[in-house]
């Protein structure tokens, strides 16, 4: 009888602790896409500015042009070339219902490269998104498909590798597919945060506690018994993971919070959609991070986090009720995909104290709520925050001041704060301080600034109000931009002899660093200039520029619609 009781208790504990059902993926189906051992510089779900990392970053020994191979049988389904983001990327669909993606590439294999070039000339665009027929480029597992590179948003040579479900394009954690990687290293826990959940997450500073390793993989908070003055609290964890033989600080896979040994809330980096990747800003302590502090991953679900990565068991949204005044044991478990784990323990107790001052709603400091459309209107400024803009309730401050810019045709309007993140863009409407001519209206942009950051958007006019949408709070004003962009040749002049050169290049400069519709033509025909990372436009001489004299004309526009064109002659 005693044996039966013990078995029952053990089984009950195992079932209780099973917050996440293990996903079952085909192990060994996908091979390492490189010919060198896997060494990670980034993993799935890792924390990045404004997004989760959606795949694996495979090191290429600090070099470009490592051969990249198809991870399994399939066919090339999509090809993407863009200045930022993936740079040059291939998507391969596989018969088992998954898609693999390979990004930041240099040249594709010769057959693919020739076809892509042909399509670029047909579309007269270097930036393309192509979907070849399934029968055009079949591949076998291990086939050479491209060379690794450093294109697009990459900061150093590496291969970005993803696995997605083909049917819905949801990204999955590639390490759950049994890729050849040795990992016997448990995650490391660095710190813990506690929050008062009776207040907005953006109207408080986290109480951050250091932790110490007590042996093995067990950490304890300092102090181990923590008193709080709010009856409702939530937790956050600062931790990182790595793998055997690596010194890179990668992201953790899973974390679960237990209250008195009962699972309360947890998150897991199993599958995330690109539609939801910006919700990272609802998963981290954004205020702490934006102020120069450390990454803290919240163990609670903000009300505006749609399709969240959290699972709640005993705590509603990850809010822990301590109103009974008792001492409660907290245990936070952190795991990687290979089930190496570490735990952090502490005890917490609610003791009523003096409540801190909370911002109150005023005419220029209204409260806005997630999942609600609301607006703010003044004589010459209005803004509207949509249902999916905010993650938590917060007061949005407004202030008006005169602009010092000679191009300004409105006052400056400060809205919100930089430590309040937005999921979707909100609408800002501003009325100019004078009547603008039709030409001035056509050249009007709205300037956003926040610290040293800035951006401009072309406005839309309605009844003498100019409107634009932005994804960040800050200061906004209207400017009339009548200065066209400048075309700057790099390493050549008009009439140059380029018979010994291998390429020709130029850059575009603009007073607000925003240009578009750049169109180069050679002897009246479109010519393919690359524009990796949105910097220099480069054309490498090929069959489209035979020996002889040529005329290169470059056209460019800025965000306000100012256009410029410049013609150069050269001999090839």
């Amino acid at each position: 009888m005693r044996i039966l009781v013990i078995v029952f208790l053990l089984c009950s504990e195992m079932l209780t602790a099973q917050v996440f059902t293990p996903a079952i993926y085909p192990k060994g189906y996908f091979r390492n896409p490189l010919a060198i051992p896997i060494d990670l510089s980034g993993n799935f779900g890792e924390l990045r500015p404004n997004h989760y990392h959606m795949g694996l970053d495979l090191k290429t020994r600090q070099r470009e042009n490592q051969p990249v191979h198809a991870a399994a049988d399939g066919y090339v389904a999509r090809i993407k070339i863009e200045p930022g983001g993936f740079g040059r990327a291939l998507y391969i669909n596989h018969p088992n219902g998954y898609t693999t993606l390979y990004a930041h590439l240099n040249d594709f294999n010769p057959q693919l490269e020739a076809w892509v070039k042909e399509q670029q000339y047909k579309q007269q665009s270097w930036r393309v998104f192509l979907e070849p027929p399934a029968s055009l480029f079949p591949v076998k597992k291990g086939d050479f498909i491209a060379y690794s590179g450093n294109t697009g948003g990459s900061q150093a040579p590496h291969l970005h590798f993803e696995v997605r479900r083909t049917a819905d394009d949801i990204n999955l954690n590639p390490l759950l597919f049994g890729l050849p990687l040795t990992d016997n290293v448990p995650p490391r826990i660095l710190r813990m945060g506690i929050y008062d959940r009776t207040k907005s997450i953006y109207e408080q500073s986290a109480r951050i506690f250091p932790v110490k390793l007590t042996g093995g993989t067990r950490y304890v908070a300092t102090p181990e018994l923590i008193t709080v003055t709010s009856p409702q609290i939530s937790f956050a964890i600062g931790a990182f993971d790595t793998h055997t033989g690596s010194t890179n600080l990668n992201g953790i896979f899973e974390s679960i919070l237990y209250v008195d040994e009962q699972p309360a809330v947890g998150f897991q980096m199993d599958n995330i959609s690109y539609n939801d990747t910006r919700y990272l800003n609802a998963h981290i302590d954004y205020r702490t991070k934006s102020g120069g502090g450390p990454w803290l991953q919240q163990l609670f679900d903000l009300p505006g986090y749609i399709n969240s990565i959290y699972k709640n068991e005993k705590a509603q949204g990850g809010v822990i009720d301590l109103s009974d005044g008792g001492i409660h044991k907290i245990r936070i478990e952190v795991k990687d995909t290979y089930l190496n784990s570490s735990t952090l323990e502490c005890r917490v107790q609610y003791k009523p104290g003096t409540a801190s001052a909370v911002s109150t709603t005023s005419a220029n400091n209204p409260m806005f709520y997630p999942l609600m459309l609301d607006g703010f209107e003044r004589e010459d400024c209005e803004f509207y925050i949509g249902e999916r803009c905010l993650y938590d309730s917060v007061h949005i401050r407004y202030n008006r001041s005169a602009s010092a810019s000679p191009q300004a045709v409105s006052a400056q309007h400060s809205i919100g704060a930089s430590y309040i993140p937005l999921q979707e863009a909100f609408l800002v409407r501003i009325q100019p301080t004078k009547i603008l001519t039709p030409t001035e209206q056509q050249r009007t942009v709205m300037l956003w600034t926040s610290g040293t950051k800035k951006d401009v958007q072309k406005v839309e006019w309605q009844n003498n109000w100019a409107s634009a949408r932005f994804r960040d709070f800050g200061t906004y004003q209207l400017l009339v931009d009548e200065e066209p962009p400048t075309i700057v040749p790099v390493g050549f002049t008009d009439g140059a002899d380029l018979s010994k050169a291998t390429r020709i290049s130029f850059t575009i400069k603009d007073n607000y660093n925003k240009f578009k519709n750049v169109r180069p033509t050679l002897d009246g025909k479109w010519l393919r200039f690359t524009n990796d990372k949105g910097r220099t436009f480069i054309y490498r001489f090929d069959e489209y520029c035979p020996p002889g004299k040529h005329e290169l004309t470059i056209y460019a526009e800025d965000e306000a619609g100012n256009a410029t064109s410049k013609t150069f002659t050269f001999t090839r």
Side-chain angles (χ1 to χ4, degrees), residues 172 342 488 560 572:
L172 307 173
S342 297
V488 182
R572 171 84 172 96

Side-chain angles (χ1 to χ4, degrees), residues 413-428:
H413 304 275
S414 296
I415 303 171
S418 60
Y419 55 76
I420 305 171
L422 290 165
Q423 174 66 16
E424 295 184 354
F426 79 115
L427 178 66
V428 181

Side-chain angles (χ1 to χ4, degrees), residues 288-300:
T288 293
K289 185 60 182 173
S290 66
W295 292 106
L296 285 165
Q297 294 179 260
Q298 296 167 172
L299 283 155
F300 54 94

Side-chain angles (χ1 to χ4, degrees), residues 29-76:
Y29 186 89
F30 296 118
R31 59 154 282 175
N32 173 6
L34 296 173
I36 56 178
I38 291 179
D39 188 7
L40 300 179
S41 60
N43 62 358
F44 185 82
E46 191 169 289
L47 311 178
R48 302 287 175 88
N50 293 319
H51 69 283
Y52 294 108
H53 189 240
M54 301 291 277
L56 303 180
D57 282 348
L58 309 182
K59 291 185 181 180
T60 56
R61 296 178 175 172
Q62 301 180 332
R63 298 198 301 267
E64 298 184 28
N65 295 318
Q66 294 279 6
V68 178
H69 304 273
D73 293 359
Y75 64 91
V76 176

Side-chain angles (χ1 to χ4, degrees), residues 311-373:
K311 185 173 182 181
N312 293 289
E313 293 291 312
K314 300 294 183 182
Q316 185 63 38
V319 178
I320 312 302
D321 186 354
L322 303 178
S323 58
D324 62 4
I327 296 175
H328 295 272
K329 180 182 178 181
I330 300 297
R331 178 166 62 89
I332 300 174
E333 188 175 48
V334 181
K335 291 182 181 179
D336 63 22
T337 52
Y338 291 83
L339 303 183
N340 301 300
S341 66
S342 297
T343 58
L344 168 62
E345 296 179 7
C346 70
R347 293 175 296 151
V348 293
Q349 184 179 25
Y350 166 57
K351 289 187 177 181
T354 303
S356 59
V358 179
S359 300
T360 56
T361 299
S362 67
N364 286 340
N365 189 29
M367 177 72 85
F368 283 78
Y369 302 88
L371 309 180
M372 289 180 62
L373 170 64

